[in-house]
Structure formats: C-alpha cells, structure tokens
Amino acid sequence: MKRLLLPLLCAFLASTTVHAATDGEVAARRTALDIAGAFTNDGFKLRDGHWSGSFEPGKSAIIQVNLYAGNQYWFTLGATGPAKKVAISIYDETGKPVKIDGEHSFQDTSVAAAGFSPDNSGVFFVKVAVVDGAAANFCLVYSYK
Amino acid sequence: MIWNFRPLAGCLACVCLCASAAADETPLTPEEMTGASRVDGLSIPMPGEFMAALNKLGKIDWSAKFRLPIGTSYTSRPQMALNLGGLIADGYIAIEAQDAPQVKNIGRDVITLATALGVGEEVKRRSSSIEAFAEKGEWDQLKEELEATQNEVKEAMAEAKDQDLVTLVTVGGWLRGVEVTSGQIAAHYTELGGKLLRQPGVIAFLDQHLERLSDKDKDDGSVRIVRKKLADIEKLLILPPDKAPTAAQVKELNQLTTETLKEITKKQK
C-alpha cells in the first residue's frame, strides 16, 4: 500500500505547486488516499484522478461519473477537520439512490466510503455531504476492479 | 453484486471506529443532476476501466488489437493531440497484451508527439520507470504509471493554457478505446457486451468540450472530421439504460471509429 501511496502523494504534492491547491485540499486528499489504499490490498486499482472542493452542512456537492457494468467500484471521501461526520451517496442516471448495504459502506468522522457494482453501464452521480460539523475541504477518489 | 469483501473488511477494521455511512436516500432533483460537476480527471473513465469490464466477458487476445504504427510528424497541433490520445490508448492495449517491446515502441512515439506539443518532459520523466516495469513484467504498476503519465501530460497542457489540447487528447484516447472494444464486441456479440458501449455521459462531456474549442482549432481538418463523426457515433451510443446496441449497430460503431482514426492519422495537406 505504501508503495502505491507514496508516488501518488508525491505526484499530488508536486502538482499542487502547479494548481496552487490549498492546504485543506492537500490534507483532504491525503485522508482519502489513506483509506482508499486499503482497497488496493483487495485488487482494486486506485484511479489517478480526484475531485476536490469545499462543502458545508446543507450544501452538498455532486459529481457525475461514468461507470461500467461488471466492474466493482469503491468511492472514498476524505475531508478536513471541521467536518465531523461526512457521507457519500450514489445515484443512478435518473437520480434514484443506489442502495449500498452496510458491508459496502464505511464512515468514520471525516472519512466515508461506498462500494457497489453497477448493473448497467452509464452515468451515475456521487453526492458528498457534511452530516455534522462545519464547512470543510473535501476530496473524492475512486477505485475499481 | 455479491462480493467477497472479507479481506477488505479486515483492512478497514484496522482503521475504522464504526462502519455505517449515512447515505442520503432522497432522489436527486433534475437541477441537481444538471448542475453536477463534470471533471476530466474523474468523470471520464480511463481506458483501464473499460478494459477491466471487457476482460470479464471472456479471454481477449489483446495483441490482435495492435494497429500498424501511426505517423508522428504532423504539423497541426490539434491533430498531434488527437493522435497522442490514441497512442496512449495503444499503450494500455500493449499492457493488457503484456507485450514489453510494444510498450517501449509506443512509449517512444508518445515521447515524440508529446515533445512536439511541448509536454515531452513530463513523459520523459516517467519513461524509464515505464520501461523498467515493462521489462520486469509488472503490468499493474505499469498501468498506474501510464495513467499517471497521461494525467501529467494533461496537467502540463492545462498549465500552459492549452485546454483545447487536453480535450483532444481525451477524445483521441476515447475513440481508440471504443474502436478496440466495439471490434471485440462485434466479433463476439452478446447483449451484455453491447451494454458496455453505452456511454451517454461521456459523449455529452466530449461534445460540450469540443464545442468550447477555439475557432482556430475547430477549423482544423482533423477536428472537423472528429466532430462530424462524433455526431454519428452519438446516435449509436445514447440508449436507454436497459437497452444494448444490436450486433449490427456495434459493427457500425466499429466502422465509424476505425474510419475516424484512419482520417486523423493521415497527414493534412
């Protein structure tokens, strides 16, 4: 895991000089990568891309992704300290929530993860939210196999 | 849908205090869906994801998907970018085929085109590790390295305010990916395989970004061809979620992408 995470973190930290990512964004990504690294032990490949931003209670953020039927996915969210509890929700292309059972979800203060395997290829939406706490930076990454 | 996550659960147990996410069960509104972020780095699937899904349909002879080497001495920057994207997709195919010499050959062509576009340093920095992984047969690491290289090239282009080139690299890679996968699915058609090709969100994303190109880039011969063909490709790939393209439609899709790629690899007069 360290072998994978180190170059990823180095690449990200190097790229921050280019994109002038805030300290909060760097911290949120580090948090997300720490958890996402666990999935690589189970054969998941961590995608070398991320989505960063800020959110606050009552003001969630949503991203559109395109997934393939047959693949398994884990979405991992990391946030900075002011967010005391965060959540990830996944929706299909009609906006209907995708049911994630307990075995495929994880939540611990400023970190959350949700895993599922789509029945159909196409558009999905991932919503990230602060359930408890204050405005914070977040970073979402995903892994697949 | 039933996975064996025991090893993973074990890993997570080491770091978690509790394990229940508070997912929101309220459906999204149309406004929320329309307003959702769409970013190249996460909204557009990488070729590796497509190939992972395709590999689950059966054993694939990836080395049969190689194409003849394409030219690398174009004079038009948009055409270079489109072909750079296609070459990177070729790199993923060579990795799936576990063909080290092919990985190295493609790597050299990628460096040539990237250098011509002013982003060669990003590729050169990674080329030694790419070659080392290929020689050792460390294919998973190689895939990660190629993905990171692709993202660094795009970041360098974005930094140089060449967002048009970022779009064209993405389009070129996506076209080559669709050509290969539609060829495979056309040759061994199943409805399940056909459904993999359904990508309305990707098409819409690429359309929007191609529409935002500068007038000068839109006027480039290779870009004109891509935009025209994409309109035809779109008709075949925008389907209801539970509907697969027919075998004939998959063949048509394969022909369209093959023609498009042939056109954009020709030197412009």
Side-chain angles (χ1 to χ4, degrees), chain A residues 38-82:
Chain A
F39 301 120
T40 60
N41 296 335
D42 200 39
F44 280 82
K45 289 181 181 60
L46 178 62
R47 183 175 168 161
D48 181 42
H50 67 281
W51 175 52
S52 295
S54 56
F55 58 180
E56 59 186 77
K59 271 195 178 175
S60 52
I62 303 170
I63 186 168
Q64 180 184 303
V65 292
N66 291 273
L67 309 178
Y68 294 112
N71 281 354
Q72 297 168 15
Y73 294 90
W74 270 97
F75 289 89
T76 308
L77 169 68
T80 47

Side-chain angles (χ1 to χ4, degrees), chain B residues 12 41 46 89-90 172 243 248 255:
Chain B
L12 285 177
M46 297 299 281
D90 285 332
K243 196 165 185 282
Q255 275 168 4

